[in-house]
């Protein structure tokens, strides 16, 4: 197992990266890209922040960002 | 802009459309999805009635699921009616273990096992056993049992403690590997367990029983497929998951759009009380979609009170199921319209190797309660009060007549009250919302371990007041007859967990005390220890917010850190007392019928003083010595309630 140190910040946040484009469902320009956990595990989604419509959903790491050292063999 | 039409409901599909989607008729799909639930229940019954270790036999600390094949992405159409904590994690557990091992490497007669919290959730003692099922050479699914092993090595016998600092102290970690191959035991895998875990003589027969129940599940599944055909079976797997996805989607759509925020916290970790651990949740509802954002929550703890990312996922799914969609079965489809925004490295998404995970439910139960709190206004009368939250788990070990013993989750505050709902008063002796287990019998506890359970009863004036009363806190006293080592783990004593809803009041907070042998002899009367201040003065606080002099509950008092003594090494005739938190009330207590308040006084759920102060009901008499002679003063009650009501407005 790789090593993930404890954060020096007391509270943690998911960074939602702004993305160019328009929501096909509600017309909003407020689109963001970030990992979510749902049916099927972790997904990297591009999502409308107004109506929660997903423009894109691609598989993220099976264990989130945890990497198994053995996978590097 | 595109207008997205809502999908046609499954019940509105005509026969042809149904068959085209699920490769069988509606009746067959229904029969098969019930049949899958029957199979997992049968597997559980087989394990329950044959297990040797107390945690399986007396606690039901295991669960069973069926998973569909890799090409369907391992859907879980059926879960057992048992330990809820496992039901959410097992879908991902099977997927993650099988994908890492490689589905192409599995053969008929294999059993795969894995116990790593960062891969499959929960803690190392919970080993997930996975049996691939092949029909005519094709991998068509998996039958699975995840069960708590009495011990998995590490520095604490039985593992339960909030003081372990990393994965190396925590216990043996097993990556996905074969336990059986071609229906023969893989000796190296068994040795890995026996060489690292205590109580191998109990683990061996229990794991063999698990294997036999996997075979039972496999046989039942194969008979089913033989009879109905593999395409019908696979269609029914999808049908079961689609159905619970659909009922959750409809339930979300019934909520108003908006953002709903909630919070809860646990006292501290096992190092010291310098840092509380807070869950922050924002539930965003837009039509039939939800996003549950946990940003702003606390970083991981320094000791083994943490939970993992799959435990957080389970808590979200179960919270939404309880509140919004309790009537359809729980499947992997439940979260289809829900995205969880989960920062990694929090105390419910801890990371290796220093984010040690053991008391994972202590972190995820506050997460569930934070969601209950977030949605309580939006739900109005459908809101559900908070429960006692912390399992207050007690783990002890010692040696009697040269034979080592270990008890876990039997002599602490593991059972307690729930919160009230619109349907009625809450039960007082339950397992917290994220579990669903048995209560170990006192006779079995006293037969197996050198202790006497002196009290196991409800505490007066601890239940959250309401038109429907919350459950009362449970007080449990245990006298230990020989020398022993104890680990005590109450984690939610600084603030009530049993919050009231819809005008109901909060339940009380609990605490834990120990009376050393001299103190016990001094305060006991006919063996029992009372509840007076003089009695508590002789006690040593284990945890809770207490008056520093009298050691009685005092919200203005001082917090006693649960792990300032990491291991309580006690002499014979030491007594521990656990008092759980009380459950939250539902509705305005002034609207509770006076006759029901009278009954609560008679049954000592509440005192005459509380009846007057919180319920506005005036009762005369002596509940201790003449319970049937108690009487309501209706006139005084009406006056008191009128005055209270006018004060409110
Ligand atoms: Zn939109």
């Amino acid at each position: 197992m790789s090593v993930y140190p404890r954060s020096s910040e007391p509270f943690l946040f998911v960074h939602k990266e702004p993305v160019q484009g328009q929501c096909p469902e509600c017309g909003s320009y407020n689109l963001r890209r970030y990992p979510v956990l749902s049916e099927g595990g972790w997904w990297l989604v591009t999502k409308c922040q107004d109506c929660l419509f997903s423009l894109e959903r691609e598989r993220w790491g099976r264990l989130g960002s945890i990497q198994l050292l053995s996978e590097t063999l | 802009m595109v207008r997205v039409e809502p999908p046609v409901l499954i019940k509105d599909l005509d026969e042809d459309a149904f068959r085209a989607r699920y490769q069988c008729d509606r009746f067959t799909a229904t029969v098969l999805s019930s049949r899958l639930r029957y199979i997992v229940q049968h597997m559980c019954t087989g394990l329950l009635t044959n297990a040797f270790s107390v945690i399986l036999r007396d606690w039901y600390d295991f669960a069973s699921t069926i998973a569909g094949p890799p090409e369907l992405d391992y859907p879980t159409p059926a879960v057992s009616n048992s330990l809820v904590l496992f039901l959410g994690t097992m879908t991902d557990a099977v997927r993650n273990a099988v994908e890492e091992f490689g589905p192409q490497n599995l053969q008929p007669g294999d059993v795969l096992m894995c116990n790593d919290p960062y891969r499959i959730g929960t803690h190392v003692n919970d080993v997930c056993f996975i049996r691939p099922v092949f029909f005519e050479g094709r991998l068509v699914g998996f039958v699975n049992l995840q069960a708590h092993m009495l011990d998995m090595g590490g520095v604490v016998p039985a593992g339960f403690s909030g003081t372990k600092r990393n994965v190396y102290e925590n216990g043996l970690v097993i990556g996905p590997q074969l336990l059986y191959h071609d229906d023969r035991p893989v000796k190296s895998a068994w040795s890995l367990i026996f060489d690292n875990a205590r109580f191998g003589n109990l683990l061996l027969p229990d794991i063999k029983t698990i294997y036999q129940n996997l075979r039972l599940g496999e046989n039942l599944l194969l008979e089913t497929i033989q009879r109905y055909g593999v395409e019908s079976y696979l269609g029914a797997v999808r049908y079961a998951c689609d159905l619970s996805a659909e009922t959750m989607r409809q339930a979300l759509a019934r909520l108003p759009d908006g953002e709903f925020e909630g919070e809860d916290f646990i006292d501290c970790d096992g190092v010291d009380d310098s840092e509380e651990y807070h869950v922050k949740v924002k539930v965003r509802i837009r039509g039939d979609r939800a996003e549950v954002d946990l940003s702003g929550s606390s970083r991981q703890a320094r000791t083994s009170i943490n939970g993992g990312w799959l435990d957080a996922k389970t808590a979200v799914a179960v919270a939404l199921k309880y509140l919004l969609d309790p009537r359809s079965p729980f499947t992997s489809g439940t979260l289809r319209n829900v995205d969880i925004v989960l920062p990694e490295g929090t105390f419910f998404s801890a990371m290796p190797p220093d984010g040690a995970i053991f008391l994972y439910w202590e972190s995820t139960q506050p997460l569930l309660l934070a969601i209950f709190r977030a949605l309580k206004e939006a739900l109005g009368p459908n809101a559900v009060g908070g429960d006692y939250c912390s399992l207050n788990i007690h783990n002890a070990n010692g040696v009697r007549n040269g034979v080592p013993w270990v008890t876990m989750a039997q002599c602490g505050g593991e059972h307690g009250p729930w919160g009230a709902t619109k349907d009625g008063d809450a039960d007082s002796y339950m397992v917290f919302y994220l579990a669903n287990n048995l209560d170990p019998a006192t006779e079995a506890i006293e037969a197996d371990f050198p202790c006497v359970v002196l009290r196991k009863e409800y505490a007066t004036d601890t239940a959250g007041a309401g038109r429907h009363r919350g459950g009362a806190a449970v007080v449990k006293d245990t006298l230990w007859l020989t020398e022993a080592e104890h680990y005590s783990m109450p984690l939610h004593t600084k603030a009530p967990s049993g919050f009231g809803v819809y005008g109901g009041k909060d339940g009380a907070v609990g605490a834990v005390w120990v009376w050393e042998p001299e103190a016990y002899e001094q305060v006991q009367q006919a063996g029992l220890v009372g509840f007076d201040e003089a009695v508590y003065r002789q006690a040593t606080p284990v945890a809770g917010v207490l008056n520093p002099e009298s050691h009685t509950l005092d919200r203005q008092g001082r917090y006693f850190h649960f792990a300032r003594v990491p291991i309580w090494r006690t002499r014979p005739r030491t007594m521990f007392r656990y008092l759980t938190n009380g459950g939250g009330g539902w509705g305005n207590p002034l609207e509770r019928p006076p006759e029901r308040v009278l009954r609560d006084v008679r049954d000592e759920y509440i005192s005459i003083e509380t009846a007057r102060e919180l319920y506005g009901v005036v009762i005369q008499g002596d509940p201790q010595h003449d319970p049937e002679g108690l009487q309501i003063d209706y006139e005084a009650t009406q006056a008191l309630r009128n005055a209270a009501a006018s004060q409110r407005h």
Side-chain angles (χ1 to χ4, degrees):
Chain A
M1 200 73 82
S2 299
V3 170
Y4 303 88
R6 184 182 194 232
S7 171
S8 55
E9 296 296 321
F11 302 106
L12 305 182
F13 297 83
V14 172
H15 176 63
K16 291 184 165 184
E17 191 194 337
V19 173
Q20 295 284 323
Q22 190 178 13
C23 173
E25 195 170 306
C26 77
S28 166
Y29 292 96
N30 188 5
L31 308 181
R32 304 253 168 173
R33 191 171 158 82
Y34 49 98
V36 299
L37 193 52
S38 183
E39 183 185 22
W42 285 101
W43 303 90
L44 190 58
V45 298
T46 302
K47 227 170 134 174
C48 172
Q49 296 305 289
D50 287 318
C51 74
L52 301 180
F53 176 76
S54 293
L55 286 81
E56 244 182 68
R57 294 177 80 85
E58 58 182 273
R59 271 204 192 279
W60 203 46
R62 199 163 61 226
L63 310 179
S65 56
I66 295 175
Q67 300 281 332
L68 301 172
L69 216 45
S70 55
E71 299 283 1
T72 64
L73 288 171
Chain B
M1 274 180 279
V2 189
R3 212 146 179 88
V4 180
E5 290 299 322
V8 179
L9 294 178
I10 294 170
K11 71 180 170 58
D12 294 332
L13 294 172
D14 66 30
E15 280 303 315
D16 291 343
F18 190 97
R19 185 177 286 278
R21 192 186 290 183
Y22 297 115
Q23 282 73 54
C24 61
D25 64 79
R26 188 186 300 276
F27 184 75
T28 303
T30 311
V31 167
L32 278 172
S33 48
S34 299
R35 171 86 182 162
L36 299 180
R37 289 194 291 277
Y38 157 79
I39 292 172
V40 294
Q41 211 54 46
H42 206 351
M43 290 164 67
C44 283
T45 307
L47 178 54
L48 184 70
T49 50
N50 290 286
F52 285 89
S53 79
V54 292
I55 195 83
L56 302 177
R57 184 195 72 192
D58 295 352
W59 247 99
Y60 212 140
D61 194 345
F62 59 93
S64 171
T65 64
I66 288 173
E71 71 267 21
L72 296 184
D73 198 25
Y74 308 88
T76 301
V79 304
S80 56
N81 180 16
S82 61
L83 185 56
V84 178
L85 289 160
F86 293 178
L87 305 183
T89 57
M90 282 179 74
T91 297
D92 298 81
V94 172
R95 179 192 301 109
N96 293 345
V98 172
E99 286 290 305
E100 184 180 334
F101 187 80
Q104 72 283 1
N105 298 323
L106 290 171
Q107 293 173 22
D110 284 351
V111 172
L112 193 63
M113 66 168 175
C114 183
N115 78 340
D116 178 15
Y118 307 102
R119 288 172 167 105
I120 70 159
T122 77
H123 53 201
V124 287
N125 287 52
D126 300 330
V127 182
C128 188
F129 300 92
I130 301 165
R131 173 78 162 184
V133 178
F134 290 83
F135 181 75
E136 294 173 353
R138 174 181 175 191
L139 177 57
V140 292
F142 304 86
V143 291
N144 317 298
L145 266 169
Q146 184 161 334
H148 187 107
M149 301 290 109
L150 198 57
D151 192 272
M152 204 35 71
V155 295
V156 176
F160 288 100
S161 106
T163 50
K164 295 181 284 185
R165 296 188 186 227
N166 51 52
V167 295
Y168 317 111
E169 293 184 4
N170 211 12
L172 173 69
V173 177
I174 306 169
Q177 59 184 279
L178 292 181
L179 181 69
Y180 282 84
H181 183 56
D182 204 12
D183 280 319
R184 281 195 294 270
V186 178
K187 273 196 179 170
S188 56
W190 290 76
S191 288
L192 178 68
I193 297 174
F194 296 151
D195 296 345
N196 287 281
R198 303 167 184 88
F199 302 103
N201 56 332
L202 281 170
L203 300 185
L204 188 145
D206 281 350
I207 299 175
K208 281 179 153 180
T209 304
I210 288 164
Y211 167 67
Q212 289 302 334
N213 284 290
L214 290 172
R215 292 190 63 175
L216 169 71
E218 177 189 34
N219 288 338
L220 291 170
L221 190 59
L222 286 174
E223 277 172 21
T224 306
I225 296 171
Q226 193 90 48
R227 177 162 171 189
Y228 292 91
V230 70
E231 293 311 321
S232 296
Y233 151 72
L234 293 172
V237 167
R238 289 186 297 107
Y239 165 78
C241 296
D242 287 355
L243 203 64
S244 50
E246 183 174 287
T247 55
M248 180 57 80
R249 203 181 74 223
Q250 291 176 294
L252 292 169
R254 283 194 292 272
L255 279 179
D257 280 3
E259 304 203 346
F260 308 99
E261 295 185 40
E263 192 173 346
D264 207 319
F265 74 102
I266 51 178
D267 297 343
C268 54
D269 66 12
V271 173
D272 56 39
D273 63 350
S274 62
E275 192 166 343
E276 295 171 347
Y277 292 89
H278 286 256
V279 190
K280 283 229 168 121
V281 63
K282 186 187 284 181
V283 182
R284 302 180 66 204
I285 304 289
R286 292 289 187 282
D288 61 10
R289 299 179 188 133
E291 193 169 275
V292 178
D293 193 339
L294 294 155
S295 287
S297 297
S298 296
R299 63 182 165 185
Q300 69 195 28
R302 300 159 294 179
T303 61
S304 49
I305 66 161
N306 295 300
W309 57 281
L310 281 171
D311 306 313
K313 182 178 181 180
T314 302
V316 171
V318 173
L320 296 177
K321 199 72 184 146
Y322 257 99
L323 293 176
L324 307 178
D325 179 30
R327 304 214 183 273
S328 76
F330 187 96
T331 73
S332 57
T334 296
L335 281 182
R336 190 167 300 170
N337 274 34
V338 180
D339 280 340
I340 305 166
V341 182
L342 176 64
E344 293 178 292
T346 70
F347 72 111
F348 44 77
S349 57
M351 302 288 273
D354 295 331
I357 293 174
F358 207 92
L359 308 181
Y360 60 96
W361 64 87
E362 297 289 338
S363 298
T364 57
Q365 175 66 18
L367 198 172
L368 174 138
L369 290 182
I371 295 175
F372 275 40
R373 290 180 193 266
L375 293 176
K376 69 180 181 161
E377 303 305 330
L379 287 169
N382 292 318
V384 174
D387 68 353
Y388 68 106
C389 188
S390 176
L391 203 55
N392 302 291
I393 202 164
H394 187 100
N395 184 10
N397 65 83
V399 178
R400 183 167 54 172
N401 306 328
V403 181
W405 56 268
V406 66
T407 160
M408 69 222 73
Q410 291 170 309
C411 297
E414 292 89 2
H415 295 75
W418 279 16
T421 70
K422 68 175 189 298
D423 296 314
D425 294 349
D427 288 321
S428 300
Y429 200 87
M430 303 292 283
V431 198
F432 60 105
Y433 289 141
L434 271 172
N436 178 29
N437 309 74
L438 302 178
D439 176 36
T442 300
E443 293 79 2
I445 293 170
E446 294 180 349
D448 287 349
F449 311 110
C451 67
V452 184
V453 180
L454 292 172
R455 281 189 200 271
K456 190 173 180 180
E457 62 190 43
Y458 301 151
T460 304
D461 288 341
T462 54
R467 190 163 124 200
H468 295 156
R469 179 180 42 70
V474 169
V475 63
K476 202 190 280 173
D477 288 353
T478 306
L479 184 68
W480 297 88
L481 303 174
T482 62
E483 283 186 355
E485 292 187 346
H486 310 263
Y487 300 80
S488 178
M489 294 151 257
L491 278 163
H492 201 303
T493 65
K494 286 187 179 174
S497 58
F499 55 88
V501 292
Y502 202 55
K505 306 285 185 204
D506 293 350
V509 290
V512 182
W513 300 263
V514 61
W515 281 263
E516 298 197 33
E518 298 74 24
Y520 171 74
E521 292 312 331
Q522 209 178 330
V523 299
Q524 60 90 15
Q525 287 185 321
L528 288 181
V529 171
F531 300 96
D532 301 338
E533 195 178 305
V535 164
Y536 283 107
R537 213 171 267 279
Q538 301 298 322
T540 306
V542 175
V545 180
L546 305 171
N547 183 295
E549 306 296 320
S550 67
H551 308 148
T552 50
L553 286 164
D554 179 358
R555 292 296 292 279
Q556 265 62 57
R558 162 185 157 209
Y559 173 69
F560 287 85
H561 180 232
F562 81 97
R564 72 185 191 289
V565 181
I567 307 172
W568 296 83
R569 293 193 169 85
T570 61
R571 291 167 291 143
R573 297 183 71 75
T574 295
M575 193 195 93
F576 275 82
R577 167 171 292 172
Y578 281 80
L579 175 67
T580 71
N581 293 350
W586 180 97
N588 183 356
L590 296 172
E591 293 169 7
R592 186 169 176 83
E595 296 74 20
R596 302 190 70 179
V597 176
L598 175 81
R599 200 176 64 190
D600 283 349
V601 171
R602 186 196 67 182
D603 295 343
E604 296 185 32
Y605 280 105
I606 61 173
S607 62
I608 283 186
E609 293 72 38
T610 294
R612 175 192 286 268
E613 280 165 31
L614 293 182
Y615 291 91
V617 175
V618 180
I619 291 171
Q620 284 151 352
D622 181 351
Q624 285 265 330
H625 301 102
D626 183 17
E628 303 309 323
L630 291 168
Q631 292 207 328
I632 300 167
D633 182 337
Y634 281 98
E635 219 168 287
T637 295
Q638 197 55 55
L640 199 55
R641 285 189 156 184
N642 288 346
S646 64
Q647 256 180 10
R648 283 184 150 220
H649 297 124

